[in-house]
Amino acid sequence: MSEESIIEELLAEVEELRKINKREELGDLTVETLSSFTWTEEENKLKISGILLAPGVWNGIYYPPDEIKKMVERHRSSLNQLPLKVEHEKDPEFKDKIVGKQIKVAWDDVLKAAVYEALVEDPKAIEEIKKGRFKATSLKSKLKRVAKGDLEY
């Protein structure tokens, strides 16, 4: 085998590796999860708490515990400031109105899940929670879909 053919073969391998490692964005994907919550009353507000995101498959996407933990650690400050809305802005009465805010997001080692606390400040939303109309919270997240080689993430 000549030196020239070895170089050609190596260059071909490098090109194949570049194709395999190339990331191609496939667009956004919206994922929604649902979990129940508990509440306590605090000076004209309700403090609600529950699981923000637990390991499992949500809308066809698998969320492993280690990735959820990384998300909480990396984005804790922005997660702690998320607005609280009703029914993903689909409720005809509340529409896109902000009814409260997240106040704490943390990783729970026992549950292996992201947990949260939030304050509901809107009087009508508080009333509806107390009446049992709203029994769960839901996380709505946007993910970037990417392809790397033959795999899709």
Side-chain angles (χ1 to χ4, degrees), residues 21-150:
N21 285 318
K22 181 182 176 194
R23 285 179 48 161
E24 176 186 351
E25 291 204 13
L26 301 175
D28 291 338
L29 174 69
T30 299
V31 176
E32 298 175 5
T33 65
L34 184 69
S35 67
S36 60
F37 61 85
T38 59
W39 59 269
T40 55
E41 204 157 359
E42 293 188 356
E43 299 178 28
N44 300 324
K45 299 176 186 174
L46 286 187
K47 182 187 227 179
I48 63 173
S49 59
I51 295 174
L52 183 68
L53 184 60
V57 177
W58 302 98
N59 300 100
I61 306 291
Y62 174 63
Y63 290 85
D66 57 323
E67 290 299 319
I68 297 171
K69 185 176 182 179
K70 280 188 225 174
M71 175 202 65
V72 169
E73 290 168 351
R74 285 184 190 148
H75 304 289
R76 184 181 320 271
S77 62
S78 60
L79 289 169
N80 283 337
Q81 298 173 31
L82 288 175
L84 197 59
K85 297 183 180 181
V86 175
E87 300 286 325
H88 296 287
E89 304 169 3
K90 296 174 189 161
D91 184 86
E93 182 178 350
F94 288 95
K95 297 181 176 116
D96 64 349
K97 182 178 182 183
I98 295 172
V99 297
K101 61 185 174 190
Q102 299 267 59
I103 56 171
K104 181 181 175 186
V105 174
W107 172 254
D108 187 297
D109 278 322
V110 175
L111 296 173
K112 301 285 186 228
V115 294
Y116 75 95
E117 290 179 0
L119 285 179
V120 181
E121 300 165 312
D122 180 88
K124 182 66 176 167
I126 291 170
E127 181 183 325
E128 296 298 328
I129 290 169
K130 287 179 176 180
K131 289 194 311 193
R133 179 175 169 212
F134 302 130
K135 299 175 183 166
T137 56
S138 180
L139 168 70
K140 182 177 181 179
S141 59
K142 284 207 183 232
L143 305 174
K144 289 249 184 252
R145 291 179 52 226
V146 296
K148 191 172 181 181
D150 293 335

